[in-house]
Amino acid sequence: MQSLFLQQSHDFPFEKIAAIDLGSNSFHMVVAQVTHGQLRITGEFGEKVQLAAGLVNGHLDDASQQRGLDCLAQFAQVIEDMPPGSVRVVGTNALRVARNRYDFIGKAMDIMSHPVEIIAGREEARLIYVGVSRTMDHGDSKRLVVDIGGGSTEFIIGQQLEPILTESLHMGCVSFRQRFFEDGSINKSNFQKAVTAARLELLSIQDDYLDETWDVAIGSSGTAKAAFNIVKENNWSKKGITPKSLKQIQKALFLAGHADNIDLPGLKPERKGTFAAGIAILTAVFECFDIKQMDFSNGALREGVLYDIMGRYAETDIRERTVNYMLNQYHIDTEQAKLVTHTALSALAQVKDDWNLGSISSEDLLRWAGLLHEVGVGISHSRYHKHGAYIISESDMPGFSQQEQQALANLILRHRRKFTQSLDYRFTKSDQQDLDRLSILLRLSILLHDDRKEGDMPIFTLKANNKNLHAEFLPEWLDGRPLTLANLQREAEALVLSGYTLTFS
């Protein structure tokens, strides 16, 4: 039986790929040509949307949503002919915290034919590090990477291509502008209050990061780029951003007195409103981590997403490593997991056309669910499906978007007992139908291996039509397996309550 733990390497199927970053401050898109495994950037697009500025009592207001949708309409013109899988759209902090994010996502998917993924803070940090490490070579030196965004700031220590520590703190240039510089005025008092607030946020990670140590500090994205350009344009430092050059930027901000009056060569006009807030956070980072010099990386989240797209079609898919880690961490019975997964994938292959489950993501989700369906057994056998769903939904799972993680948790929750169980997570109608059908295939595969006999592979034919599924086994195969027969009968009764019909012979 072929190994189920790592996808086999495939030829990369796309000549052109794109990454879209729905940031709290700006929306960006980068398009790249793929030639012999190498990326060549062919287009970069961006718009200052300030989505986070439209968060009112945890909800995105109509104006901020419209700004975002107008920007996506422009992006859509570029990617409208690109096939599924060649474009990844990732949402960060503003969409993570917005209670009405699904309303915005639904409108966005009416404009673009590609799904919008909300990524967790640590996953954002990991992807940022991928972008930095793939575009800057520091040999064996350990790097501290700091990315100040609109709603969050990510911190990563890594070496070569591997992140060691990843964190995301809930502070950004848009949220800090609203807290400390709302009317645009800039003075020593409100600036110091912002620095102090940032330092308080940093206390939660300061000791761990100082203990880990690093050799090189790197800034990425807007604030770091603006500060780096200003220092260079004004000839304030030949070593990137330094404490002394930061003081000179602060002095210029205090002299301006208001965001509208900032006149610094190297600063784009559209960044004036959030610049003081970003510099306050950067100042706190320098103070807490005693940074003497910081370089700038052009590569960050978007570039990381591009390389992640490529990795998903090779043996470097980080999600496979995450699943392998969990198999070992939770002492899952790997032989049983492989039997169930093999049968589930065999079932999917037979009905994927009839049930419209032919996408790569369907196969991946079913395979991961088969491998991890017993992840909660170590806590309690009687409710292990619920414990497993909780573990999957709440764990840090590098490589997985929040939607993928919640979909996987949904399948694990529903693999036994009530078919109608659900998590407090909203899927689209189409996604929910796919999950229902994948859940049926997973449940069927698990009950066929309920006797836990190694090497006992059931041979069956499946036919599906709308909400009907028929399983035909070899003659007399069920006669000698009364437990399997009883399980099938109980499963048929359970599915009727959800409008599905399971028959077998």
Side-chain angles (χ1 to χ4, degrees):
M1 183 172 18
Q2 170 181 308
S3 171
L4 298 164
F5 295 99
L6 187 67
Q7 285 182 300
Q8 301 302 299
S9 180
H10 303 288
D11 291 334
F12 191 67
F14 309 118
E15 294 181 357
K16 184 169 70 171
I17 58 176
I20 298 176
D21 163 18
L22 307 184
S24 301
N25 192 34
S26 304
F27 283 11
H28 290 277
M29 177 173 72
V30 60
V31 182
Q33 203 77 25
V34 182
T35 308
H36 303 300
Q38 300 297 313
L39 286 178
R40 183 172 64 87
I41 304 299
T42 58
E44 294 183 274
F45 309 84
E47 194 79 29
K48 197 174 182 68
V49 171
Q50 292 201 321
L51 201 64
L55 278 169
V56 181
N57 297 321
H59 289 77
L60 292 170
D61 63 20
D62 292 340
S64 63
Q65 289 195 52
Q66 193 57 52
R67 291 194 299 271
L69 296 172
D70 290 344
C71 176
L72 293 179
Q74 297 176 40
F75 291 175
Q77 181 180 337
V78 179
I79 61 170
E80 60 184 358
D81 61 340
M82 294 178 65
S86 65
V87 178
R88 279 192 73 191
V89 187
V90 297
T92 58
N93 187 261
L95 288 173
R96 282 198 289 269
V97 302
R99 294 172 188 165
N100 60 337
R101 57 186 173 273
Y102 301 113
D103 296 335
F104 176 79
I105 289 172
K107 296 171 187 174
M109 290 182 65
D110 287 338
I111 294 171
M112 304 182 297
S113 58
H114 303 278
V116 177
E117 306 174 28
I118 310 299
I119 54 175
R122 284 183 172 173
E123 174 63 6
E124 182 179 354
R126 184 191 70 82
L127 288 169
I128 289 167
Y129 186 78
V130 171
V132 172
S133 63
R134 290 283 188 173
T135 54
M136 293 186 84
D137 184 9
H138 290 101
D140 289 331
S141 297
K142 286 171 71 176
R143 291 176 274 218
L144 167 68
V145 177
V146 180
D147 188 294
I148 301 171
S152 64
T153 299
E154 280 65 50
F155 300 85
I156 312 96
I157 292 179
Q159 192 170 27
Q160 295 185 341
L161 300 179
E162 294 297 323
I164 299 169
L165 291 178
T166 55
E167 284 292 350
S168 177
L169 298 183
H170 193 59
M171 59 180 183
C173 61
V174 174
S175 57
F176 265 44
R177 183 200 65 184
Q178 292 172 311
R179 284 178 63 184
F180 303 105
F181 307 96
E182 189 172 15
D183 62 357
S185 64
I186 305 168
N187 53 60
K188 290 183 179 180
S189 176
N190 61 1
F191 187 87
Q192 191 54 49
K193 287 178 180 177
V195 172
T196 301
R199 291 197 63 155
L200 288 172
E201 287 285 336
L202 284 160
L203 281 176
S204 64
I205 69 169
Q206 185 176 359
D207 288 346
D208 287 343
Y209 275 63
L210 289 173
D211 288 345
E212 184 63 43
T213 72
W214 59 87
D215 303 306
V216 183
I218 307 291
S220 60
S221 294
T223 294
K225 182 178 182 179
F228 185 84
N229 287 339
I230 289 167
V231 168
K232 184 179 178 181
E233 288 286 328
N234 290 276
N235 202 26
W236 286 342
S237 170
K238 294 181 180 179
K239 298 180 180 179
I241 307 167
T242 62
K244 183 179 179 181
S245 62
L246 264 183
K247 288 287 186 185
Q248 289 171 300
I249 292 175
Q250 292 169 24
K251 184 178 178 180
L253 292 176
F254 299 150
L255 284 173
H258 194 280
D260 293 341
N261 300 330
I262 300 173
D263 185 18
L264 281 168
L267 181 66
K268 293 181 179 180
E270 64 268 22
R271 189 159 284 278
K272 287 183 178 182
T274 58
F275 187 58
I279 290 298
I281 295 171
L282 188 59
T283 299
V285 171
F286 265 67
E287 291 177 358
C288 284
F289 293 144
D290 194 26
I291 295 172
K292 304 302 182 186
Q293 183 267 335
M294 176 177 279
D295 202 352
F296 171 71
S297 169
N298 280 305
L301 177 61
R302 295 179 293 283
E303 290 73 19
V305 171
L306 288 178
Y307 281 103
D308 215 51
I309 293 173
M310 294 180 68
R312 291 186 171 190
Y313 291 88
E315 294 185 355
T316 55
D317 189 343
I318 188 68
R319 297 172 299 176
E320 301 298 335
R321 289 168 57 184
T322 298
V323 171
N324 274 331
Y325 171 80
M326 297 189 85
L327 279 164
N328 294 321
Q329 177 75 8
Y330 292 96
H331 307 293
I332 294 170
D333 182 343
T334 54
E335 289 305 315
Q336 178 70 4
K338 285 194 288 184
L339 288 173
V340 167
T341 305
H342 188 276
T343 298
L345 293 180
S346 173
L348 176 64
Q350 297 183 58
V351 300
K352 63 182 182 181
D353 293 333
D354 294 331
W355 268 357
N356 196 26
L357 295 170
S359 69
I360 292 173
S361 58
S362 292
E363 181 177 341
D364 285 341
L365 277 173
L366 186 59
R367 181 163 47 83
W368 295 326
L371 292 171
L372 297 177
H373 73 279
E374 292 188 335
V375 70
V377 167
I379 299 175
S380 167
H381 188 274
S382 63
R383 293 161 55 88
Y384 78 83
H385 55 302
K386 293 185 177 181
H387 297 308
Y390 179 82
I391 289 169
I392 296 298
S393 64
E394 298 300 322
S395 293
D396 284 323
M397 295 184 66
F400 285 82
S401 68
Q402 287 189 356
Q403 288 98 320
E404 287 174 329
Q405 205 164 328
Q406 295 301 321
L408 182 56
N410 182 281
L411 290 177
I412 288 175
L413 175 68
R414 301 169 69 197
H415 84 261
R416 67 195 292 258
R417 305 284 174 84
K418 291 182 180 178
F419 179 72
T420 54
Q421 296 173 94
S422 66
L423 298 166
D424 185 22
Y425 190 86
R426 181 175 154 193
F427 297 101
T428 66
K429 186 176 180 180
S430 173
D431 285 347
Q432 188 60 64
Q433 177 177 272
D434 288 351
L435 286 173
D436 288 346
R437 292 173 173 179
L438 290 174
S439 179
I440 290 171
L441 299 180
L442 180 62
R443 290 167 68 97
L444 177 64
S445 302
I446 290 169
L447 70 84
L448 290 177
H449 292 285
D450 200 29
D451 55 10
R452 305 183 79 88
K453 289 183 178 178
E454 294 183 19
D456 185 14
M457 299 302 297
I459 300 174
F460 57 92
T461 303
L462 283 185
K463 292 183 180 179
N465 177 25
N466 197 12
K467 287 196 168 187
N468 303 309
L469 182 67
H470 180 71
E472 186 171 340
F473 297 91
L474 289 176
E476 301 181 358
W477 188 83
L478 284 175
D479 294 345
R481 293 170 173 80
L483 173 63
T484 303
L485 179 60
N487 283 340
L488 285 168
Q489 291 169 341
R490 281 191 288 267
E491 184 67 7
E493 293 170 4
L495 292 179
V496 165
L497 299 175
S498 298
Y500 280 90
T501 300
L502 171 63
T503 55
F504 50 89
S505 59

